[in-house]
Amino acid sequence: MGTETIRNIHTELKKHGDKKIAAHSQRFFKTGKGEYAEGDKFLGIRVPVLRTLVKKYRSITIDEALKLLSSEFHEVRLFSLLSLIELYRRSGEADRKRIFKLYLGNTRHINNWDLIDLSAPHIIGNFLQDRDRKTLYALARSKSLWERRIAVLATFYFIRNSDFEDALKISQLLLHDKEDLIHKAAGWMLREIGKKDIASAERFLRKHCKIMPRTMLRYAIERFPEEKRLRYLKGEI
């Protein structure tokens, strides 16, 4: 089923690989021993090239995209996720639900921050927009760093629609998370809330700025005027 399509995609992706880009990506995405993406492999393909190839292979099926998601190569997994986003956009309710469930059932393959950031809002966030969101809280309490980041980034879709409640609740839930990648993600979402509704963001920040991780706070207040940023960093708000 779809073997030829999958083989063609693999062949074309490898053809677009660049060893210098791959070597840089290995370092940038922390693939060394003991690092968060230990052992991940790269072909060396930029995201715009992947997006072009996704358009070329827009006839790909959900099953074919899912098979690619288990690839050892980072860019093949990203190609899979970008394809699933396009399939999700073009699908009816039944296939959207299927893609949502397949995404959640394969988080072990969605195992770096870029894979999550480029996909979670468009699939998980979009699907849960008008549904019960308890799934996000289960993800936010997961032992998996990547599942917790999925929970945070899914709320980006809500924030874009001026819906901040879950982003704020999940940010509060993760205030004591030990991972810097979670601090960055939550701070980013707080910053995005501030762009839409500064009062909502500042209510959260005034309450938690003295205990929240420094990285989370710095990301959240990045666009504030310098004087106000310094007051938050000193806890003088």
Side-chain angles (χ1 to χ4, degrees):
M1 178 179 58
T3 303
E4 185 176 353
T5 298
I6 293 169
R7 186 164 52 242
N8 290 342
I9 290 170
H10 270 127
T11 298
E12 184 144 14
L13 287 172
K14 288 180 179 179
K15 184 178 70 176
H16 283 84
D18 182 297
K19 290 183 179 180
K20 288 185 178 179
I21 295 173
H24 175 266
S25 295
Q26 296 279 149
R27 297 188 298 272
F28 183 74
F29 286 102
K30 307 297 183 185
T31 64
K33 188 171 179 61
E35 295 182 309
Y36 60 71
E38 181 178 348
D40 202 357
K41 297 180 180 179
F42 286 79
L43 294 170
I45 310 172
R46 302 293 192 195
V47 173
V49 176
L50 290 173
R51 292 193 185 278
T52 298
L53 293 173
V54 166
K55 291 178 182 178
K56 178 177 179 178
Y57 289 97
R58 71 187 310 273
S59 61
I60 194 173
T61 66
I62 294 172
D63 289 320
E64 288 166 347
L66 184 62
K67 284 183 180 295
L68 292 167
L69 188 56
S70 61
S71 173
E72 64 178 325
F73 292 107
H74 187 100
E75 293 94 341
V76 179
R77 300 199 302 281
L78 182 51
F79 176 94
S80 167
L81 291 166
L82 295 174
S83 295
L84 285 170
I85 291 168
E86 289 304 312
L87 286 162
Y88 182 93
R89 287 172 176 163
R90 303 198 307 265
S91 293
E93 186 65 19
D95 277 343
R96 285 188 169 200
K97 185 175 183 179
R98 184 179 175 220
I99 291 169
F100 170 79
K101 288 185 173 182
L102 287 171
Y103 189 104
L104 291 178
N106 288 275
T107 55
R108 65 191 180 280
H109 301 307
I110 309 169
N111 56 353
N112 215 316
W113 57 264
D114 63 318
L115 304 179
I116 293 165
D117 297 2
L118 290 169
S119 64
H122 302 291
I123 294 177
I124 304 303
N126 183 295
F127 188 81
L128 295 177
Q129 176 66 51
D130 300 313
R131 293 177 173 84
D132 189 302
R133 300 176 185 175
K134 62 183 179 182
T135 298
L136 292 185
Y137 294 87
L139 290 169
R141 294 183 175 92
S142 171
K143 292 181 180 178
S144 165
L145 158 64
W146 306 123
E147 290 189 348
R148 298 199 304 279
R149 184 149 178 137
I150 288 169
V152 177
L153 263 294
T155 68
F156 199 0
Y157 189 87
F158 312 151
I159 293 168
R160 287 168 174 163
N161 290 285
S162 298
D163 176 357
F164 312 132
E165 182 178 358
D166 292 289
L168 293 169
K169 286 181 177 179
I170 289 171
S171 292
Q172 182 172 346
L173 188 64
L174 295 170
L175 279 173
H176 301 293
D177 198 281
K178 296 180 179 179
E179 297 288 349
D180 194 56
L181 284 174
I182 299 300
H183 306 164
K184 291 177 179 178
W188 175 16
M189 293 305 101
L190 292 169
R191 187 179 70 216
E192 294 301 318
I193 292 171
K195 291 179 185 178
K196 291 274 190 179
D197 183 349
I198 190 63
S200 292
E202 289 213 64
R203 277 195 296 274
F204 183 95
L205 291 169
R206 283 195 295 272
K207 183 176 181 180
H208 300 294
C209 68
K210 292 182 181 180
I211 63 167
M212 66 197 300
R214 207 66 168 171
T215 298
M216 188 187 297
L217 178 59
R218 286 186 181 278
Y219 269 62
I221 63 176
E222 187 177 46
R223 294 179 180 270
F224 285 11
E226 184 177 1
E227 184 181 346
K228 183 182 284 189
R229 277 204 318 273
L230 291 173
R231 292 207 307 273
Y232 270 109
L233 290 169
K234 294 175 181 177
E236 296 175 349
I237 294 294

